[in-house]
Amino acid sequence: LTNIDLAIGQIKSEIPNLDDNFSILFDMVNRNSKRINQLITELLNATRFSELNYQPILINTLLDDALELAKDRIDLKQIIVKKNYTIGMRTISCDKEKLTTALLNIIVNGVEAIEKKIGILSINTREEDGKCVLEIIDNGVGIDEETQSKLFEPYFTTKQKGNGLGLANTQNIILNHKASIQVESVPGSGTSFIIRFDFAE
């Protein structure tokens, strides 16, 4: 992956008057190289506790970072993203890199469940009962009860090319932040992931 990134940088430097179309393609390679690197990290960390590097951050900022990483997939399926952020909420204390990865996993799962051109991904943040609450809602195919009960088990997957570690790692990260995660879904009616964090003291 490092060699890919270095090669792209070298090619960009050697092409005179680089036009916008090439720039978009190069940026796509760089973003996906970063995404692959994160997937490899997930494989290594799916069931392993790792020390967290806490810092205060706004949940809305984390979500925007995760959405940017998923931009290619969202654009490819022509999905509409509806953000209903509560502005002015307090920060949460978290490991920015790890929690961004967890949120990205949920967003990508939602994108993969949505049909092309008719998809809507709704992301809501709010304060409720003294907690920072985040909802990621898709209008995809939904999940049956049996699948929901196994959703966070390592190596369980319903995807043909899935490894079953993305959501297992996601739950691991969120629980390590002393937060909670739950899933609400009805087959044919989409899926909601609800995460509740404590605010930073």
Side-chain angles (χ1 to χ4, degrees), residues 12-136:
K12 286 174 71 174
S13 69
E14 293 184 5
I15 295 179
N17 303 319
L18 192 67
D19 65 35
D20 290 342
N21 288 331
F22 278 114
S23 294
I24 290 169
L25 292 172
F26 287 140
D27 290 344
M28 186 179 292
V29 172
N30 285 330
R31 278 199 304 273
N32 283 283
S33 174
K34 186 174 183 179
R35 170 67 179 148
I36 293 167
N37 197 22
Q38 289 174 329
L39 285 170
I40 293 169
T41 302
E42 289 173 20
L43 289 169
L44 297 173
N45 295 334
T47 57
R48 182 177 67 193
F49 177 82
S50 55
E51 190 171 334
L52 301 176
N53 179 26
Y54 287 104
Q55 57 180 301
I57 195 163
L58 295 169
I59 191 65
N60 297 348
T61 301
L62 279 180
L63 284 165
D64 284 340
D65 289 347
L67 285 169
E68 181 61 28
L69 291 170
K71 185 177 184 301
D72 292 336
R73 293 169 181 255
I74 291 169
D75 291 347
L76 188 64
K77 279 201 166 182
Q78 300 174 42
I79 289 169
I80 297 170
V81 177
K82 293 184 176 180
K83 297 190 225 181
N84 183 24
Y85 292 172
T86 295
I87 307 300
M89 283 200 302
R90 292 169 287 161
T91 59
I92 62 171
S93 184
C94 70
D95 185 304
K96 180 180 178 181
E97 182 178 345
K98 290 184 174 63
L99 197 50
T100 300
T101 297
L103 298 179
L104 177 61
N105 285 338
I106 296 172
I107 290 168
V108 167
N109 269 270
V111 169
E112 291 177 345
I114 290 172
E115 289 187 36
K116 190 173 182 178
K117 295 185 179 180
I118 62 171
I120 298 174
L121 192 67
S122 301
I123 303 183
N124 310 321
T125 61
R126 66 180 184 273
E127 182 172 347
E128 184 179 277
D129 298 329
K131 298 274 188 179
C132 176
V133 180
L134 156 65
E135 291 179 319
I136 300 175

